[in-house]
Amino acid sequence: MPISRFPSVSRRAALRMGAAGTALAITVPRTLAAGAAETRLTNAQFTEAKLLARWADGWSTLGDPQKLLALVAADVVYEDVAVGDTVRGVEPFRGLLAEAAKAIPDFRVALFDGFATETMAAAEYEITGTQTGDLPYLKATGKPFRLRAASIFTIENEKISRESRYYDLARFLTQLGGLPGADLPSLGRPAAKPGGRS
């Protein structure tokens, strides 16, 4: 199905998703009732839309890893594309979450945009935090960072079976002082509205 056929979720549906849902303009396939021109969400589509909001909340509360672990399949694959690291399976993923919580206890994810279907999802978001603990490739700096990022998900049986995360590693390391000498401009919110409309 072409992307252009994924309209924005209605305001009423966003309100049903709660506070996290209202911050995210999730797009879903259109289902038209006979003779009606309004967008409706099926139960499955509503579940997938909530999945992204719950995913963002899970990454924003790493002190409670069960929030994220409840969303992933037992054989989940998490790929950090920028670093080139891949974790396979729920127990290694649990270990990664523990490492992230120790290194960046105030790790937060704020969603900008996203869409979800029964088998795939994508999200654009901002990551913020302060690196108060060691990362595998950088000793603790005590410095804050702010990044824009995107993730592509595979969904199976309403669980995340794969997440591939993309972000600018050079910008991340520059903010933390691990890549001195780079003078990168600061990033704001996305330049376009959902669907590429400016």
Side-chain angles (χ1 to χ4, degrees):
M1 179 177 292
I3 290 292
S4 61
R5 294 186 58 197
F6 284 36
S8 294
V9 151
S10 71
R11 186 172 156 202
R12 179 179 294 164
L15 290 172
R16 283 197 318 254
M17 284 186 269
T22 60
L24 173 64
I26 295 174
T27 56
V28 294
R30 178 177 293 182
T31 303
L32 297 179
E38 69 181 54
T39 302
R40 299 186 187 277
L41 291 177
T42 66
N43 286 340
Q45 291 162 356
F46 182 66
T47 299
E48 282 113 35
K50 287 199 315 186
L51 182 66
L52 287 181
R54 291 174 60 205
W55 166 85
D57 181 54
W59 276 105
S60 297
T61 52
L62 290 176
D64 182 5
Q66 195 54 40
K67 285 186 175 183
L68 266 175
L69 294 173
L71 303 179
V72 301
D75 59 349
V76 65
V77 175
Y78 173 81
E79 181 184 17
D80 185 327
V81 177
V83 175
D85 187 30
T86 301
V87 172
R88 299 174 191 277
V90 73
E91 288 309 315
F93 184 61
R94 183 192 304 272
L96 179 137
L97 298 181
E99 289 176 11
K102 187 175 179 182
I104 309 166
D106 61 345
F107 192 100
R108 298 291 181 268
V109 168
L111 289 160
F112 290 139
D113 193 20
F115 79 88
T117 71
E118 290 184 29
T119 58
M120 290 196 72
E124 183 180 17
Y125 51 95
E126 180 180 70
I127 303 171
T128 57
T130 308
Q131 191 217 357
T132 57
D134 294 347
L135 291 167
Y137 48 86
L138 185 66
K139 294 290 185 186
T141 65
K143 294 185 177 182
F145 66 91
R146 180 178 300 273
L147 294 171
R148 281 176 50 189
S151 287
I152 305 297
F153 305 88
T154 302
I155 300 173
E156 296 177 6
N157 300 317
E158 299 181 2
K159 297 274 190 179
I160 297 169
S161 63
R162 181 182 184 93
E163 177 187 350
S164 297
R165 177 173 291 179
Y166 300 84
Y167 59 94
D168 185 343
L169 182 61
R171 183 175 299 277
F172 179 60
L173 293 176
T174 298
Q175 290 180 63
L176 296 180
L179 189 62
D183 186 18
L184 301 172
S186 62
L187 287 178
R189 295 182 63 82
K193 292 181 182 177
R197 298 178 301 276
S198 57

